[in-house]
Structures are given as structure tokens and as C-alpha cells.
């Protein structure tokens, strides 16, 4: 008779603002029935959000480190500061806090702000709409903070609240209206920035109609905590980030490393994966060099009918094009609009079908080396591994 113990679910430790009444029930709701993890909480004193020294003092690292050590006693797999203070106090402050927690406990750490920024990176977001309960001055400070991280932000009218406990009293229909207002002006995504606002449900419900991802702070924190703990979430029913964010992040990482390895100007991956809301007419990920125009949101072409893609479908091997003087020719828009003059394409097969392909673009004609081809093969393997984890 076997004496092996059943696998222990991932344990997530969360540092919680003392006046927060939202994030614990929402986190439990998001995890309910998944078997993905258990969540464990320690509170630190936070009651008011404002731009003054008294408010800033609430986020001193000392009490957070003390609470983190208590969570570490429970042998948690990750510790998250489930608060958005780094959004107005500065992202480097959150990075330093995470480094200190890990140094003290040996446990990987993240914060709500870092999770939101990583969600934006996974989805290629550079224009972000913000739905905020805070006062106007705090909201404007958040816009400034995110601008330093490469995000141009637009604001729905802030609700003007400073008492942290009161954030949880905002009715969800009001949160929904803020999200809709924040999605204007061609935002690539919307973020509900506060972990004591009930934004998880409105965010998930509004995504299909808005046509852009909506990142709720509580959901994003759970997403990254699960990811750091090795759970690689693919949880349906709570919005695209929990369903597909980890897959997108892995694709993005593989493409960034591929671009570096090949010294290319742009790398992309396209895939038909309906269960994750992905289709080849829009890229699942993209990495661009400085000054290189993004192709990520251009769905103007029927990708499956391109000459180069039909060639991949027929031959099922990499297509190496040091120039475009020979067949198969790429679409003229790739040259005229996006300035590409050489490319290397590689099919990604799943269950005998060509599910998608990787593209490596150069703005000048160039000879692709065996090293470049090996880097593409490695990227294909990494993407296969990510797709396996997401299935």
C-alpha cells in the first residue's frame, strides 16, 4: 500500500492593508473550486491614502517585513504585498520591498503594482486607462509613476476618496462605469488600481464588450502570485488575465530572448488558440527594438492566406528569407508600412496542424546564420512548453 502523500496545493501568502475588506473574499472567490492554491493573510496598518508624510509612513517596510516573516512560518510559496502603494510612492520602492522580503524569508515576492505592470508587459500595453477611487492628486501621481514605466495613461474621473475602508463601499455599477470611461481614447487595456475596490467581477464582465483586457488589482496580484509559485494559472471565468496571462507572459519572454539572440528588429508569434482568445490575425506576442513600429494590433490582413504562410503550411519547415526577391513574397504592407526587408519564419505545430508561427524581422537585408536558426528552434521549443502548460 502506497504511503505517498497527496500533492500540497500552492500556498500564497498575502500582506493585506488592515482596513481592507475586499481582497480576501475576492481572492477566495477567484480560487474557489480550482484547487490551484490556498491563500493566507497577514495585516499591516493602512487606513488612509494621501500624499503626505503621515500617509507615506504607513508603508514603511519594517512592519511589512515582520508580517512577511510570520507568513513564512506557514511555508508559503510566494509572498505578495496586496496593495498598490508603489503606484504613487514609486515602483522602485516596491522592487526594494520584494528584494528585502526574499532576503529575509527566502520566499519570492511581488506586489499589486508590479503585477499590474507585468500584466501590461504580457499584453503589450503602452496606453492604459485607469479606474481609480483616489483623490485627484493621488491619481495624477499614479499617472506620472506609470509614465516612467512606459505607460501613457488616461484617467476616468477619480472618485475622490481617501479613507481606505470606504473604497470597498463603492457600488460595483459605479466601478463598471469608471471602467467604461477609462476604456476610451484607444486604451490598450484598463486597470482598476486599488485592492479594496470590488472590481474583479465588473472587469471580467466588461472585457468582451470593451474588446480590451481589464486588469483588476486583486485579480492581477493573485495571477502573479500563482505564477511566481509555479502554478502557471489558466483559470477560466474571471477574465483574460487569469485565463491566458501566464501564457502570454511566457510567449513574450521567449520572443524578447529570440530578438536579442538574433539581433533582429522585431519578433512575433501568431497562433490560433480559441480557448485563450487568440487568433493568428493578431499577434499573441511581439518584441520590438527601439524605434521599431509595432505590428501587434494590426488585423488588416488575412494571415492564413499570405504567400509566406501558405508556404509554411505546405512545407512545415522554417522559411529563411535574406531578401524578398524570390518567391514566396510577403505582403507588400510588411515592406511599405513596417519596413521589413528580411525575415525568418518558423511553423509551430500542434497535434499535426500548423497552429501558428514565429516571425523574425529585419529592417535591412541580411543573411540569417545557423545560430539564428538555432535560436528560432529554441524559441519554438519554449512556446511549445508554454502551450503545454496552458492546455
Amino acid at each position: 500500500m502506497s504511503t505517498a502523500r497527496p500533492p500540497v496545493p500552492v500556498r500564497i501568502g498575502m500582506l493585506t492593508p488592515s482596513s481592507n475588506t475586499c481582497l480576501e473574499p475576492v481572492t477566495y472567490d477567484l480560487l474557489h473550486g480550482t484547487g490551484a492554491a490556498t491563500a493566507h493573510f497577514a495585516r499591516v496598518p493602512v487606513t488612509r491614502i494621501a500624499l503626505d508624510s503621515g500617509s507615506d509612513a504607513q508603508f514603511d517596510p519594517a512592519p511589512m517585513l515582520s508580517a512577511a516573516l510570520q507568513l513564512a512560518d506557514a511555508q508559503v510559496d510566494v509572498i505578495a504585498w496586496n496593495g498598490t502603494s508603489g503606484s504613487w510612492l514609486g515602483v522602485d520602492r516596491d522592487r526594494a520591498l520584494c528584494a528585502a522580503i526574499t532576503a529575509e524569508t527566502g520566499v519570492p515576492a511581488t506586489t499589486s503594482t508590479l503585477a499590474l505592470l507585468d500584466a501590461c508587459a504580457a499584453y503589450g500595453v503602452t496606453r492604459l486607462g485607469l479606474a481609480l477611487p483616489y483623490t485627484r492628486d493621488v491619481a495624477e501621481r499614479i499617472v506620472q509613476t506609470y509614465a516612467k514605466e512606459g505607460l501613457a495613461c488616461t484617467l476616468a474621473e477619480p472618485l475622490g476618496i481617501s479613507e481606505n475602508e470606504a473604497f470597498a463601499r463603492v457600488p460595483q455599477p459605479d466601478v463598471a462605469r469608471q471602467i467604461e470611461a477609462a476604456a476610451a481614447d484607444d486604451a490598450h487595456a484598463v486597470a482598476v488600481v486599488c485592492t479594496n475596490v470590488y472590481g474583479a467581477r465588473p472587469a471580467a464582465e466588461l472585457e468582451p464588450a470593451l474588446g480590451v483586457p481589464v486588469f483588476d488589482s486583486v485579480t492581477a496580484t493573485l495571477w502573479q502570485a500563482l505564477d511566481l509559485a509555479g502554478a502557471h494559472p489558466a483559470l477560466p471565468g474571471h477574465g483574460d488575465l487569469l485565463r491566458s496571462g501566464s501564457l502570454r507572459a511566457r510567449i513574450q519572454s521567449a520572443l524578447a530572448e529570440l530578438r536579442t539572440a538574433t539581433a533582429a528588429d522585431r519578433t512575433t508569434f501568431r497562433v490560433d488558440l480559441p480557448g485563450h482568445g487568440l487568433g493568428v490575425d493578431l499577434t499573441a506576442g511581439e518584441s520590438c527594438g527601439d524605434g521599431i513600429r509595432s505590428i501587434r494590433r494590426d488585423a488588416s490582413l488575412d494571415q492564413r492566406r499570405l504567400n509566406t504562410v501558405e508556404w509554411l503550411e505546405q512545407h512545415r519547415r522554417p522559411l529563411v528569407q535574406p531578401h524578398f526577391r524570390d518567391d514566396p513574397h510577403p505582403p507588400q504592407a510588411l515592406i511599405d508600412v513596417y519596413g521589413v526587408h528580411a525575415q525568418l519564419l518558423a511553423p509551430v505545430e500542434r497535434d499535426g496542424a500548423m497552429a501558428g508561427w514565429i516571425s523574425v524581422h529585419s529592417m535591412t537585408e541580411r543573411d540569417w546564420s545557423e545560430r539564428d536558426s538555432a535560436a528560432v528552434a529554441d524559441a519554438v521549443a519554449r512556446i511549445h512548453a508554454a502551450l503545454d502548460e496552458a492546455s
Side-chain angles (χ1 to χ4, degrees):
M1 180 176 178
S2 173
T3 58
R5 296 181 179 179
V8 176
V10 165
R11 293 174 180 172
I12 298 172
M14 289 186 172
L15 303 172
T16 306
S18 59
S19 52
N20 189 304
T21 59
C22 165
L23 74 86
E24 289 157 316
V26 170
T27 299
Y28 287 136
D29 182 60
L30 295 172
L31 287 173
H32 179 71
T34 68
T38 58
H40 311 273
F41 303 90
R43 289 181 175 251
V44 294
V46 176
T47 59
R48 180 173 169 269
I49 305 303
L51 300 184
D52 57 58
S53 58
S55 180
D56 290 359
Q58 299 172 111
F59 305 105
D60 184 87
M64 294 192 187
L65 289 174
S66 177
L69 285 166
Q70 294 177 24
L71 286 170
D73 289 343
Q75 297 185 23
V76 295
D77 298 290
V78 62
I79 295 173
W81 161 230
N82 210 325
T84 54
S85 55
S87 296
W88 62 88
L89 295 179
V91 178
D92 285 344
R93 187 160 173 163
D94 272 16
R95 293 182 178 123
L97 173 65
C98 291
I101 288 172
T102 300
E104 287 286 335
T105 66
V107 178
T110 189
T111 74
S112 299
T113 296
L114 295 178
L116 284 171
L117 293 175
D118 282 355
C120 287
Y123 285 77
V125 173
T126 57
R127 294 201 300 271
L128 181 65
L130 296 177
L132 308 174
Y134 308 119
T135 55
R136 168 62 67 170
D137 57 345
V138 173
E140 290 176 350
R141 181 70 61 84
I142 291 172
V143 171
Q144 296 168 12
T145 299
Y146 286 8
K148 295 176 184 178
E149 301 298 317
L151 293 171
C153 295
T154 57
L155 273 174
E157 183 60 34
L159 298 181
I161 304 171
S162 60
E163 296 303 314
N164 195 69
E165 185 275 337
F167 298 149
R169 299 181 184 274
V170 176
Q172 291 188 51
D174 290 355
V175 180
R177 283 190 287 272
Q178 257 206 325
I179 291 171
E180 290 173 326
D185 299 324
D186 295 322
H188 297 158
V190 174
V192 181
V193 182
C194 180
T195 62
N196 202 25
V197 165
Y198 280 88
R201 182 172 295 175
E205 291 175 349
L206 284 169
E207 272 187 338
L210 294 177
V212 297
V214 183
F215 304 136
D216 168 69
S217 291
V218 177
T219 303
T221 308
L222 176 61
W223 163 70
Q224 186 158 83
L226 286 167
D227 209 49
L228 283 176
H232 307 318
L235 308 181
H238 300 293
D240 199 75
L241 183 61
L242 274 178
R243 178 184 64 169
S244 304
S246 290
L247 173 62
R248 286 180 180 265
R250 277 159 179 71
I251 289 170
Q252 195 64 31
S253 176
L255 292 174
E257 291 192 18
L258 174 60
R259 186 173 63 81
T260 298
T262 58
D265 294 301
R266 181 193 299 111
T267 53
T268 67
F269 175 57
R270 299 176 185 271
V271 64
D272 279 318
L273 205 63
H276 286 272
L278 296 171
V280 296
D281 287 342
L282 288 172
T283 70
E286 175 187 60
S287 178
C288 293
D290 292 341
I292 300 301
R293 182 175 178 179
S294 172
I295 204 170
R296 182 187 287 266
R297 291 175 174 82
D298 186 344
S300 61
L301 298 176
D302 183 349
Q303 292 289 326
R304 288 282 184 181
R305 300 193 64 180
L306 301 182
N307 293 335
T308 48
V309 176
E310 289 181 341
W311 188 98
L312 286 179
E313 183 70 67
Q314 178 183 356
H315 295 279
R316 301 294 181 91
R317 59 182 172 83
L319 172 61
V320 181
Q321 295 187 295
H323 51 73
F324 295 144
R325 292 188 290 277
D326 301 325
D327 288 334
H329 293 291
Q332 196 62 34
L334 189 69
I335 302 168
D336 294 343
V337 177
Y338 293 102
V340 179
H341 286 85
Q343 66 179 355
L344 200 166
L345 309 181
V348 175
E349 296 184 66
R350 304 288 291 176
D351 299 323
M354 191 177 84
W357 60 93
I358 288 175
S359 303
V360 183
H361 293 158
S362 172
M363 301 299 110
T364 60
E365 294 184 358
R366 60 175 279 184
D367 291 324
W368 300 102
S369 67
E370 291 184 6
R371 183 176 178 179
D372 295 329
S373 296
V376 171
D378 180 67
V380 169
R382 289 185 61 184
I383 285 175
H384 270 299
L387 293 173
D388 288 344
E389 289 177 349
S391 63

